[in-house]
Amino acid sequence: MQRVTEPELMNDLSQAMAYAEADFDEAHSRIVEAFGAYFPGVELAGNILDLGCGPGDISFRFAVRFPAISVIGVDGAAAMIELANQRKAREAMTGDRVSFIKGLIPGAAIPRISYAAIISNSLLHHLHDPRVLWETIARYAGADTLIFVADLLRPPGTAEARRLVDEYAAGESETLRRDFYNSLLAAFEPREVEAQLAAAGLEGLSVEVISDRHLVVHGIKG
Ligand SMILES: C[S@@+](CC[C@H](N)C(=O)[O-])C[C@H]1O[C@@H](n2cnc3c(N)ncnc32)[C@H](O)[C@@H]1O
């Protein structure tokens, strides 16, 4: 099945709110667990960059799991950054260790500091030109920066995409179900991601399929 792109930014407030209110508890807790599985024994400390952070759920989860980190989340959608900052005001546990920057990747005003890890969940499939993500990672990662990118996997056809929506988003709003379907069609296949990594000089990273709808890219730039 050919890739069908979707709008890059989730700028529409109702779309951003549907996303922020969706139940990603299981999926997102598995992202944090998967990070631990790919980097066993690592107790992260220092600065973490979360690219395409949306309303910040993954940023906050990492900040709770690793008390010695500070997370900078970056997203191009004003609606998402607004929701992320509203949540920050409610999250007493992580205090000032989580902050958000509104900015389009590439070009966002991301601080040039040393990052212990660069993480990203569900940004890649939004990008019309996927090089944007890999070039940003290559730019901001040092030799020891742990890189962890999770995203959807494009299914072989629309029937399988519909099946995945019915199986995993049965109780969700129509807005979220539509977004999930469109996102599956916009996602990449593992061999496409491998080609993107090679083109960006990131051959040190590995691509792994971790479920019927997710892949993970992990490793260090070297
Ligand atoms: C599906 S959401 C994922 C949010 C979050 N990472 C999570 O896992 O909950 C994708 C986010 O990427 C953002 N995005 C898409 N293209 C972007 C770009 N070029 N620069 C910055 N943010 C972008 C969208 O606005 C949206 O908030």
Side-chain angles (χ1 to χ4, degrees), residues 132-205:
V132 161
L133 175 60
W134 306 120
E135 287 171 7
T136 302
I137 288 175
R139 181 163 180 219
Y140 288 95
D144 300 327
T145 304
L146 306 182
I147 298 165
F148 182 76
V149 173
D151 212 291
L152 294 168
L153 177 67
R154 188 166 81 251
T158 53
E160 173 64 359
R162 271 191 288 275
R163 187 196 72 73
L164 290 167
V165 172
D166 286 342
E167 179 162 354
Y168 296 109
E172 300 292 354
S173 67
E174 264 320 301
T175 305
L176 199 85
R177 285 169 59 82
R178 183 204 59 211
D179 283 352
F180 183 30
Y181 179 80
N182 290 339
S183 294
L184 286 165
L185 269 51
F188 292 99
E189 294 177 351
R191 60 184 172 83
E192 293 169 334
V193 177
E194 273 157 12
Q196 293 163 15
L197 293 173
L202 292 172
E203 294 96 335
L205 301 185

Side-chain angles (χ1 to χ4, degrees), residues 99 130 150 221:
S99 58
K221 184 170 89 166

Side-chain angles (χ1 to χ4, degrees), residues 6-11 15-16 19 24 28 31 50-59 74-78 80-81 101-106 108 119-128 132 150-152 183:
E6 59 176 347
E8 280 205 358
L9 297 182
M10 295 175 71
N11 238 336
Q15 183 191 31
Y19 189 86
F24 288 124
H28 286 182
I31 298 283
D50 181 3
L51 298 171
C53 63
D57 190 53
I58 299 274
S59 309
V74 182
D75 201 285
M80 286 295 192
I81 293 296
I101 296 172
K102 180 191 165 298
L104 194 66
I105 299 161
I119 60 174
S120 180
N121 182 52
S122 282
L123 167 64
L124 180 62
H125 71 267
H126 275 272
L127 299 171
H128 294 176
V132 161
D151 212 291
L152 294 168
S183 294

